[in-house]
Amino acid sequence: MTAAAIDKVWRGTDTNPGEIAQSLAGLLSEVHRENPQYVPARVINLICVVDKQWSGEIANRLRGVGRYHGSRTIVCSVTPGRKTLDAVATITAPAEVERGELGLLRETVVVQCGEKHLDHLDSIVDPLVVTDLASCVWSPHGHPDAVDSLLDLAQVVLTDSTDYPDVRAAITRNRELAKRSYIVDLAWLRSTPWRERLATTFDPPRLRAELPNLCDIRIRHAPESEIAGLLLAGWLASRLDWRVKPLKYENGALTGSAKAHAHDVAIRLEVDESLKVRGLAGFALKTTTGREFGLARGDGGLRASSRNGDDRERHWTVFGASRGEPGILGEGIRQALLREQTYGPALHRAEIMLPTVAP
Amino acid sequence: MRAAAAENPLREGLERLPVHPTTLVIFGATGDLCNRKLLPAIYNLAHEGQLPERFSLIGTSRAELTDAQFRDQFAQSVRAFSRREPDKKVLKALLENVRYVSGAFDDADVYAQIAQALADCDEVAGQALNRCFYLSTAPAFFPVIVGRLGEARLVRDPHAEIRIVIEKPFGTTLAEATDLNSKVLSVFNESQVFRIDHYLGKETVQNVLAFRFANSLFEPVWNRNAIDSVQITAAEDLGIGTRAGYYDGAGALRDLVQNHMMQLLCLIAMEPPVHFNATEIRDEKVKVLRSIHTPQVQDIASMAVHARYTKGTVSGEDVPGYLQEQGVPSKSKTETFAALRLEVDNWRWAGVPFYLRTGKRLARKVTEITITLKPVPHLAFVQDGTVGVRPNQLVLTLQPNEGVSLSLGAKIPGTRMGIRPVNMEFLYGTAFMSQSPEAYERLILDAMRGDATLFTRNDEIEQQWRIIDPIIASWKRARSKVPQYEAGSQGPEAANEILLPGHSWRAI
């Protein structure tokens, strides 16, 4: 199959959802008639609510997700003051399909709407989604009213806690959404390799026994990714049953402690100004038995270090390629079809750790 | 408190489970399989962050190479055969943990060097790494390497798990397989041995298990009461390419039926395991094989057919016959087509024929399992002027276009009650976004993890050979010429002779 693609396009002005749905069905039939090897993908509906002025940037991000894209993507592009609906439906097919292979179709509907439509956006989107497929809402420019209106229709909300103006707003909103929907938080997904490595480090039985001995955690994060540090600390606290309490801002860092079974665990979250991408920069852990573990970003993977009681320090690379931001969004869409149960408890502990006083 | 529990509390919720730090030792590290499959698979595991946190690779082979030269070869293999463009930084980091030992596999000094290299890897890591010996060599070396590993005391370590991965073919007869098993098991425990049948590492094959045991719809009809016959087809439109040396010694029956197609038969016929683990899955598969009688000499002509392709046309191209292929001896008696009728003689399947068919240079490439249900007991509809009511067929297509289709009788629009079959189709490619990993990626990871579910056990191998051996022996004894079929055709006419009355082969 070549990378080139064939688009079938339908455009409607002052239209309605019924007409859009009918036109899309017509386009699908037309494409399939032309080549029976073309078949529509049937994985997930992705509903995006975006501000029209930033819709180009969102389109770029969606183009970069690779294979993990919505099989039908419905983009509600919001223009202040707009009263009517315009729409463009596009079916993209691979230009060439090898003999015996399938040509998977991608369906995109862009609906131009106004703020007045957002309270009842479900009535516009409902006729456009593929019935019986999971639906995922992503609203990167806010519009909580639109998201709320879609919660009965969609099973998953894709969010990025780093997009919120502050960590409290992010955690509060996500806790609220989690009561009605499954949340996929891109800030959480960025920490997956770090969590995997922590789990791996402590997987051998002799090191697993050290988990209850953790007594000091220091997490470094990108300037606007405090939430990433809080979520990682919240995850450790929830998995290891630490009792947590609010942290405090002190000398530019967020510090405090948690209560483990037999001792206190010092927690420190600090900004790494040198990190230019979202997420974590590294962490360092200590145990009461004198062991130390560290992980930081490096070339070709994460750079790990350890120091045992004998004071010998070791460094090594944990292999793995960076997925980059488009990869993270694609991973978010993929995760919308899974159900991960540790985010909720981590978010809850992170909420308790929120500082009561602003920096 | 969770942290005190035996399980690692940090594992919960993670898709990728930790793999214990490991050193992988590949014998035959400069060979074709290693270059085309193993090294690219290891790179892809590194790229995706799936290798163990501490990982080293020691390549060993007769070729005189330095560490640097072997690393160059590794990098070239990855660039040429990886399913993705390699990330330079990941590849560089991976290669820093690669070293090479050269020498003959029967040379005790090679094993002393390997032992030293393993100890060095442990020293760098500050812990005893698990060891995984991967035999990617000609089968003749399997007993030699196993024996030398035993003599060098490399097969047991109180601080690490040690495993051996053995590529197929695992013997070419029952006697050879039994002998090899006995040699391997005189050095290793069965729990340390991972016999690769890369077919089991394919997502499509594992989907057969998901299809059967994750859907309650089919279980009520999955037996002799409702099923009339089962056909398993693995057809290829290609010839033998450059594999004449291997293929002429093996033939279609050994190449595909003894291992891959027998595995498919087992997955279709096995009872549901209580748990999805290595022991239970393999126990159930062995029960299926034990339910198949050893073919008797007098029955073989009526239950097995072999043939060889002659020149013909495939996809519009003229192609030579098997005997004209480069490297094939002119007096070869090797079959390029094999078809069998087997019966799984147990409570569930007694009386249901299982037809297995494989061949090269057939009309098209397809691997599928067709389950034909019994016809309805009474038909009230007029069938004149229509193709009529046909028994329902459930087709599991493994390649190309993996999917499931079910044929149903439906009314033809109009004033009469005419019926014709229609298909209800599901295609995996339309419902999943993921790119399937290469079979070797999954299998290497499973071997390092110690999960033997997708590997073949010794008794399984021996049961497969017990069924296949008499057929091969009978064909070898036959004085008549090997039957022929034209390249690009549906196979030999003689294949129809093993079908029970009322049955026919599904078109390839």
Side-chain angles (χ1 to χ4, degrees), chain B residues 385-406:
Chain B
T386 73
V387 294
V389 176
R390 300 276 175 85
N392 301 120
Q393 276 194 333
L394 181 68
V395 181
L396 309 180
T397 305
L398 278 71
Q399 63 171 347
N401 296 334
E402 183 189 8
V404 180
S405 80
L406 177 63

Side-chain angles (χ1 to χ4, degrees), chain A residues 21-338:
Chain A
Q22 200 175 356
S23 305
L24 192 61
L27 286 181
L28 275 171
S29 299
E30 192 182 325
V31 170
H32 189 66
R33 264 199 313 277
E34 285 172 12
N35 187 341
Q37 285 175 271
Y38 286 142
V39 288
R42 287 294 173 255
V43 184
I44 191 167
N45 298 302
L46 178 62
I47 306 158
C48 309
V49 184
V50 302
D51 286 342
K52 184 167 190 313
Q53 59 175 328
W54 305 112
S55 59
E57 182 222 332
I58 296 302
N60 282 338
R61 287 183 71 181
L62 287 173
R63 267 194 288 273
V65 298
R67 72 181 75 100
Y68 300 125
H69 53 77
S71 36
R72 180 173 289 180
T73 303
I74 299 154
V75 180
C76 302
S77 179
V78 185
T79 308
R82 176 178 266 279
K83 300 277 189 271
T84 59
L85 299 179
D86 290 353
V88 179
T90 309
I91 294 190
T92 307
E96 285 174 22
V97 184
E98 302 269 338
R99 179 174 162 257
E101 296 287 321
L102 295 176
L104 279 185
L105 305 175
R106 287 173 73 156
E107 301 152 53
T108 308
V109 182
V110 178
V111 181
Q112 304 291 346
C113 58
E115 285 158 326
K116 83 172 194 95
H117 297 109
L118 296 184
D119 283 347
H120 299 286
L121 199 58
D122 56 332
S123 65
I124 295 172
V125 170
D126 198 346
L128 302 179
V129 296
V130 181
T131 314
D132 295 334
L133 287 189
S135 296
C136 174
V137 183
W138 180 44
S139 185
H141 302 141
H143 299 300
D145 41 354
V147 174
D148 288 345
S149 88
L150 292 167
L151 287 180
D152 288 335
L153 174 72
Q155 298 77 37
V156 185
V157 176
L158 186 62
T159 184
D160 187 346
S161 294
T162 322
D163 285 337
Y164 285 80
D166 61 70
V167 284
R168 181 171 294 280
I171 291 176
T172 306
R173 175 64 172 158
N174 287 350
R175 291 268 293 156
E176 185 185 293
L177 285 171
K179 291 175 187 157
R180 294 185 60 192
S181 186
Y182 178 68
I183 306 288
V184 176
D185 185 350
L186 300 185
W188 175 249
L189 297 185
R190 287 187 198 96
S191 73
T192 304
W194 303 85
R195 286 181 283 120
E196 283 176 348
R197 287 307 154 188
L198 261 170
T200 302
T201 297
F202 290 100
D203 204 53
R206 71 189 168 85
L207 288 175
R208 201 177 305 165
E210 291 283 3
L211 276 172
N213 301 328
L214 283 176
C215 63
D216 189 300
I217 62 171
R218 285 162 189 256
I219 300 172
R220 289 178 296 114
H221 56 81
E224 285 168 10
S225 293
E226 190 172 74
I227 184 69
L230 271 172
L231 284 172
L232 186 71
W235 173 71
L236 275 170
S238 65
R239 300 312 310 150
L240 300 174
D241 264 357
W242 296 343
R243 266 184 290 136
V244 292
K245 54 190 179 187
L247 304 177
K248 290 177 186 165
Y249 287 106
E250 207 173 81
N251 300 327
L254 202 48
T255 63
S257 66
K259 182 82 181 161
H261 184 61
H263 54 267
D264 282 349
V265 181
I267 299 173
R268 182 179 175 89
L269 276 57
E270 54 194 28
V271 177
D272 183 335
E273 298 286 352
S274 67
L275 186 61
K276 302 299 177 208
V277 293
R278 291 177 167 192
L280 297 167
F283 63 72
L285 309 177
K286 287 183 187 169
T287 68
T288 52
T289 54
R291 285 180 182 269
E292 293 178 22
F293 303 92
L295 203 56
R297 288 174 184 259
D299 281 348
L302 299 174
R303 193 73 187 145
S305 62
S306 77
R307 186 197 295 269
N308 294 341
D310 61 6
D311 249 15
R312 176 156 181 199
E313 194 165 329
R314 290 186 166 83
H315 296 270
W316 68 96
T317 298
V318 178
F319 311 121
S322 167
R323 290 171 290 187
E325 276 302 305
I328 293 289
L329 179 58
E331 177 63 11
I333 297 169
R334 188 180 79 86
Q335 288 285 335
L337 293 165
L338 305 175

Side-chain angles (χ1 to χ4, degrees), chain B residues 104-159:
Chain B
F105 297 138
D106 58 355
D107 181 354
D109 185 50
V110 167
Y111 298 84
Q113 289 181 57
I114 290 172
Q116 184 57 53
L118 287 166
D120 291 347
C121 294
D122 288 0
E123 169 61 21
V124 170
Q127 58 181 300
L129 304 179
N130 282 356
R131 294 165 187 181
C132 188
F133 298 109
Y134 197 118
L135 274 49
S136 170
T137 67
F141 292 115
F142 295 168
V144 177
I145 296 168
V146 166
R148 287 292 188 192
L149 286 171
E151 287 163 18
R153 299 178 183 276
L154 287 170
V155 299
R156 304 268 187 280
D157 186 309
H159 305 295

